[in-house]
Amino acid sequence: MSAVTTGAAPRVALVSGASRGLGLAVAERLLAAGWSVGTFSRSSTDELDKVLENWPDTFSWTPGDVAKDDMRQHVRTLQERFGPVDALVNNAGVLHQELFLTMPEQRIDELLAVNLAGPARLAQACARQMSVRGRGVILNVSSINSLRGFRGVAAYAAAKAGLDGLTRSLARELGPAGIRVNSLVPGYFETAMTSQVTDENRVRITRRTPLGRLGTTDEIARVATFLLSDEAAFITGQTITVDGGLTC
Ligand SMILES: NC(=O)c1ccc[n+]([C@@H]2O[C@H](COP(=O)([O-])OP(=O)(O)OC[C@H]3O[C@@H](n4cnc5c(N)ncnc54)[C@H](OP(=O)(O)O)[C@@H]3O)[C@@H](O)[C@H]2O)c1
């Protein structure tokens, strides 16, 4: 973990949607590695409050909605508290499993707004600040739904595939400004988002996973921390899948 801050002052990360699940695991890893971390989500959670208690000087949360707010304001709020943003983890997301033929049109708009348009606006707000300083890292949290077809997740999958396209294009555009951009592609992880998955399906996913088990949220957090660190200084424009081999 020490590699994260090697040769540099403690860094500042914005992790959207770190009130629970993968985002909170990433925030905790970064905090333990010496980063200052800001997050926002629509609501708070008990687990978030505990982490805020443990890291009162380096962790902050504000209420916010990635689909509706002015993302520049979230970046400004973080800058006022900890300084300019060195890294963005575009993690906030939402999944509604619903068949495409019967899905209300409005739901399609919502899924694209939270999982694609909002993250794109947040990436822009951060990248503008990073480009002035000539350095920065953006990590877009995608999904294996962007790589393989699954029933009932068409709009979500389209948004996540869009995020991967954003990653590659931004890597080209922002590389000369010293900004790296990658997608982190989780397989199946047990969080609030996947709480509707039945025991039967969980067993099926485990059986189809070459490593023969489900991953832990900390295994995502470790890869995220690596991709933000200087250890990954020559990695940009990539989609890094962490799924125990499920999609191989
Ligand atoms: N868990 C998995 O197996 C899995 C697999 C592939 C990809 N992912 C991706 O990983 C990311 C994290 O997922 P997770 O499993 O940790 O889900 P989660 O436990 O449901 O957490 C989602 C986080 O995003 C926040 N969020 C949702 N909508 C938001 C909005 N409109 N504005 C701001 N924050 C919002 C949530 O807080 P509020 O609801 O209070 O706003 C929460 O903090 C997502 O992008 C998801 O698509 C997860």
Side-chain angles (χ1 to χ4, degrees):
M1 273 195 287
S2 60
V4 174
T5 51
T6 299
R11 296 185 183 177
V12 176
L14 175 53
V15 183
S16 64
S19 64
R20 59 174 188 257
L22 302 184
L24 188 59
V26 171
E28 284 192 271
R29 272 254 152 211
L30 291 174
L31 289 162
W35 290 66
S36 296
V37 179
T39 188
F40 66 89
S41 55
R42 290 167 302 175
S43 53
S44 164
T45 64
D46 290 345
E47 19 175 2
L48 170 75
D49 290 341
K50 279 194 193 116
V51 182
L52 284 166
E53 266 173 45
N54 290 338
W55 303 93
D57 299 326
T58 50
F59 191 34
S60 72
W61 172 82
T62 47
D65 189 327
V66 75
K68 295 179 180 156
D69 301 350
D70 181 348
M71 291 298 114
R72 293 169 299 182
Q73 189 52 49
H74 286 293
V75 175
R76 274 196 292 269
T77 301
L78 185 65
Q79 177 168 17
E80 282 160 18
R81 177 82 199 271
F82 297 129
V85 182
D86 296 296
L88 164 67
V89 182
N90 231 337
N91 167 78
V94 71
L95 167 67
H96 295 286
Q97 295 223 28
E98 209 166 346
L99 290 178
F100 193 63
L101 289 181
T102 48
M103 177 182 270
E105 281 181 20
Q106 195 193 344
R107 182 59 58 72
I108 298 174
D109 293 343
E110 281 167 18
L111 285 167
L112 293 176
V114 177
N115 294 304
L116 180 58
R121 289 187 294 109
L122 183 56
Q124 186 188 51
C126 290
R128 281 180 172 157
Q129 195 183 77
M130 291 169 179
S131 65
V132 172
R133 302 171 70 223
R135 66 185 168 93
V137 195
I138 295 172
L139 190 58
N140 293 318
V141 180
S142 176
S143 163
I144 56 169
N145 292 168
S146 74
L147 307 175
R148 298 278 185 280
F150 294 91
R151 276 165 58 88
V153 294
Y156 173 80
K160 292 297 192 181
L163 212 48
D164 291 345
L166 181 78
T167 290
R168 286 186 287 272
S169 189
L170 285 187
R172 288 258 168 216
E173 198 171 316
L174 301 177
I179 302 168
R180 296 189 293 110
V181 189
N182 290 295
S183 278
L184 176 58
V185 183
Y188 172 85
F189 290 83
E190 293 195 271
T191 65
M193 180 174 282
T194 53
S195 58
Q196 305 294 322
V197 172
T198 61
D199 288 345
E200 194 189 345
N201 277 338
R202 206 171 285 116
V203 169
R204 189 177 302 144
I205 292 165
T206 308
R207 206 173 48 231
R208 287 182 184 169
T209 300
L211 292 181
R213 63 174 178 84
L214 301 180
T216 66
T217 56
D218 191 52
E219 285 173 312
I220 281 289
R222 284 165 188 260
V223 180
T225 305
F226 163 71
L227 288 169
L228 297 187
S229 78
D230 292 342
E231 298 291 300
F234 205 52
I235 301 177
T236 196
Q238 304 306 308
T239 52
I240 314 292
T241 304
V242 182
D243 69 351
L246 183 61
T247 54
C248 72

